[in-house]
């Protein structure tokens, strides 16, 4: 089915699967994730059989997640401007090779706990590069109304894999041994690699090229000044750190408290996966009924209560239904936060914004697993998990006092920046699907600024000055509007911003903001300003008694003078 046909249907939890390429990507990704969960179970059980301490076993989660702390932000910048399809093909190939080498070394008896953690870290590096690129790749192959459902399906795919992979791993370990599990993980990368190779219809979105460090700062600056995104990431962090008690300590709990073997541990993880799959069909309806904030309150609290109950349970038949509820609650929190931020981030910074999401998710996982593993060794597995569950419930209660910011009233379509437009700037870049040509033409006609001097250095630092005529009665309202406008300017690229009184012309206020280069200011016009940003600018513009005037100042290249010395 075509993208257009899929977009015309009412959204539903499975609607994105009507898009052919997404369907094949999703199936291949599920297979790859099955291999990943088999790899995790194999690594953890290798350490259990080696009689490693809880702290060392928990380091499997840390070694998988820590690379995002080191490479997450650079990976987001790389994924923003590189061809995402080519990047994903390269990363999948590298992961297959690493997993194959891990299988061979384990089979010949050369594997040690330290070497296992090193290979786990290497696979984590590849995942750090892949995740933001893949999450930004998916919105390019499904219609915008289905991005939230596509994100939920991606999370569901992980949990389908969680339900199947550990169970398969338990059987394989019991029948053929841990090396065979690692070999199957290497093979699991082939499906997604094949789909990416055969998908010839992908077109890399047009983007203004930026220097690496400038692009990195721009992505971080956007997140820092986007209150909606910043609040989501904070909530994710306070959830994920204590929530990792389950993933870090469940293999120890299975072996010691419940006296289970690898097959039994696989059954516990399968119960979590089954709950997550069920959540795929329950959560969308619950989100429609409760709203995002209340849904995360309920599912976070249920998750915390669930892991505390798991820690205290000594019977498998009580633990399994509790873990089903825990799996449902996990998908409710993670898929909802991920889908919300994917749909909210504007296209120009989506990959970089998602790399920060991954940084928070996996950084919190690495930190949480390390701390919880250490505490588990000191205070015991059950006590540590129970206390972590209480902390998760407290984090859920915070949402009642400090809720997430609403997103429904904020237009995310990219529009040319009004007020500072000049004719060459107002035209959207080719291939910019978010831009509205009618809005671009209107913005171009709204000003009569002379054409840009093309001899200006495109890398020159740029100062934009906007003059407003403000009556005394409107001054307080104008300054309040400018405070909101400041955040908009900084999100889209301003490195410094302020507003000044004009001493020589009473009644005029001057907005001045500094952008790293003229080229970056052009990017502000082409694709960085959303409809919501436009509304903010217009609210300030309407308070001006006369049409605001704009100046663009680009730093001049001063001639170089050799140093002189005096005797």
């Amino acid at each position: 089915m075509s993208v257009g046909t899929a977009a015309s249907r009412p959204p539903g939890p499975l609607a994105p699967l009507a898009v052919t390429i997404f369907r094949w990507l999703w199936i291949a990704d599920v297979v790859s994730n099955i291999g990943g969960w088999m790899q995790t179970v194999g690594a953890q059980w290798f350490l259990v059989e080696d009689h490693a301490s809880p702290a060392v076993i928990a380091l499997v989660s840390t070694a998988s997640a820590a690379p995002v702390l080191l490479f997450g932000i650079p990976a987001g910048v790389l994924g923003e401007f590189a061809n995402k399809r080519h990047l994903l093909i390269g990363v999948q190939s590298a992961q297959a090779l690493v997993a194959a080498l891990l299988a061979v070394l384990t089979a010949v008896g050369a594997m040690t706990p330290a070497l296992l953690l090193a290979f786990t870290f290497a696979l984590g590096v590849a995942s750090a590069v892949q995740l933001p690129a893949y999450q930004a790749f998916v919105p390019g192959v499904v219609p915008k109304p289905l991005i939230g459902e596509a994100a939920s399906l991606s999370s569901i795919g992980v949990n389908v894999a969680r339900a199947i992979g550990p169970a398969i791993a338990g059987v394989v370990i019991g029948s053929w041994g841990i090396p065979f599990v690692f070999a199957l993980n290497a093979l699991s990368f082939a499906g997604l690699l094949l789909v990416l190779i055969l998908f010839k219809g992908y077109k890399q979105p047009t983007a203004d090229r930026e220097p690496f460090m400038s692009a990195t700062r721009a992505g971080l600056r956007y997140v820092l000044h986007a209150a909606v995104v910043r609040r989501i990431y904070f909530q994710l962090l306070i959830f994920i750190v204590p929530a990792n008690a389950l993933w870090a300590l469940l293999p120890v709990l299975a072996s010691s408290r419940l006296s289970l073997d690898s097959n039994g541990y696989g059954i516990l993880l399968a119960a979590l996966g089954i709950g997550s799959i069920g959540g795929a069909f329950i959560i969308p309806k619950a989100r429609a009924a409760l709203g995002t904030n209340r849904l995360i309150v309920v599912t976070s609290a249920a998750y915390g209560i669930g892991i505390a109950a798991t820690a205290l349970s000594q019977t498998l038949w009580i633990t399994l239904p509790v873990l089903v509820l825990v799996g449902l609650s996990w998908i409710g929190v993670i898929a909802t936060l991920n889908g919300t931020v994917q749909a909210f981030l504007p296209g120009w910074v989506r990959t970089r914004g998602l790399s920060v999401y991954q940084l928070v998710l996996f950084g919190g996982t690495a930190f949480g697993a390390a701390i919880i593993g250490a505490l588990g060794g000191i205070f015991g597995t059950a006590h540590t998990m129970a206390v972590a569950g209480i902390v998760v419930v407290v984090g859920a209660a915070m949402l009642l006092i400090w809720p997430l910011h609403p997103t429904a009233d904020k237009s995310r379509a990219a529009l040319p920046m009004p007020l500072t437009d000049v004719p060459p700037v107002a035209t959207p870049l080719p291939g910019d699907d978010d831009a509205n040509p009618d809005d671009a033409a209107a913005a171009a006609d709204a000003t009569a600024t002379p054409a840009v001097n093309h001899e200006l250095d495109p890398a020159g630092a740029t100062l934009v000055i906007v003059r407003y005529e403000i009556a005394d009665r409107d001054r307080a309202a104008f300054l309040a509007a400018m405070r909101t406008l400041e955040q908009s300017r900084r999100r889209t690229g301003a490195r410094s911003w302020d507003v000044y009184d004009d001493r020589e012309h009473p009644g005029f206020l001057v907005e001045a903001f500094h952008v790293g280069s003229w080229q970056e200011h052009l990017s502000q016009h082409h694709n960085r300003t959303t409809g919501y940003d436009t509304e903010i600018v217009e609210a300030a513009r309407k308070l001006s008694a006369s049409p605001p005037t704009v100046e663009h100042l680009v730093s001049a290249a001063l001639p170089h003078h050799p140093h002189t010395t005096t005797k």
Side-chain angles (χ1 to χ4, degrees), residues 205-499:
T206 303
D208 293 338
R209 295 289 175 178
E210 300 178 47
F212 185 85
M213 291 308 299
S214 294
T216 301
R217 287 194 296 267
L220 293 174
R221 192 182 303 118
Y222 177 87
V223 172
L224 181 63
H225 294 284
V228 170
V229 176
R230 194 171 62 244
R231 180 66 185 89
I232 289 173
Y233 290 176
F234 180 76
Q235 189 63 36
L236 174 65
L237 181 64
I238 63 175
F239 171 78
I240 204 69
V241 170
N244 266 286
L246 179 70
W247 310 111
L249 297 178
L250 190 60
V252 181
L253 191 76
S255 177
S256 60
R257 193 174 183 87
L258 299 176
S259 302
L260 300 175
D261 59 10
S262 60
N263 287 312
Y265 177 49
I267 291 172
L268 295 183
L269 289 178
L272 285 165
I274 290 169
S276 300
I277 296 168
F281 299 94
I282 296 172
I283 295 303
K285 295 179 180 178
R287 185 167 58 237
L290 299 175
T292 299
N293 195 76
R294 280 186 289 179
L295 175 63
I296 295 177
V297 171
V298 172
T299 52
S300 295
Y303 184 90
I305 294 170
I307 63 173
T310 300
L312 299 176
S313 171
Q314 295 181 323
T315 305
L316 180 63
W317 304 114
I318 294 176
T319 303
L320 287 177
V322 170
L323 288 179
V324 171
L325 175 63
V326 169
L328 187 154
S329 302
W330 172 267
I331 197 74
V333 178
I334 298 298
T336 301
L337 291 176
N338 183 264
T340 301
V341 79
Q342 277 198 45
F344 184 81
L345 286 168
W348 72 271
V349 76
R350 181 173 289 132
T351 308
R352 283 169 282 181
L354 288 172
S355 73
V356 179
Y357 177 92
Q358 298 299 336
L359 177 69
V360 174
L361 177 63
F362 285 89
T365 297
F367 177 76
I371 294 298
I372 287 166
L375 293 175
I378 298 171
F379 300 106
T381 300
H383 287 92
T384 302
M385 283 184 63
V387 172
I390 295 171
V391 174
V392 172
V393 173
V394 172
M398 285 180 58
L399 283 163
L400 300 175
I401 303 170
W402 185 22
L404 300 177
H405 298 290
T407 60
D409 60 340
K410 295 176 174 62
S411 170
R412 311 311 297 151
L415 300 174
M417 185 194 302
L419 195 62
T420 61
D421 281 332
V422 292
V425 176
T427 305
L429 289 176
D432 183 4
D433 295 331
D434 289 337
N436 185 327
D438 295 334
D439 291 334
D445 293 340
T447 62
T449 308
V452 174
N453 179 357
H454 293 287
E455 295 181 359
L456 293 177
D457 179 8
T462 299
L463 178 65
V464 181
I465 299 173
V466 189
R467 296 172 58 84
Y468 305 84
E469 183 180 3
I470 304 299
D472 288 343
R473 66 179 180 277
D474 294 325
R475 181 182 176 89
F478 176 77
L479 292 176
M482 294 304 282
R483 183 56 60 196
T484 304
L485 180 58
E486 176 188 2
Q487 298 303 309
S488 174
R489 300 295 200 202
R490 290 184 182 275
R491 279 196 300 271
T492 58
R495 300 188 181 187
S496 63
W497 180 97
D498 215 330
V499 61

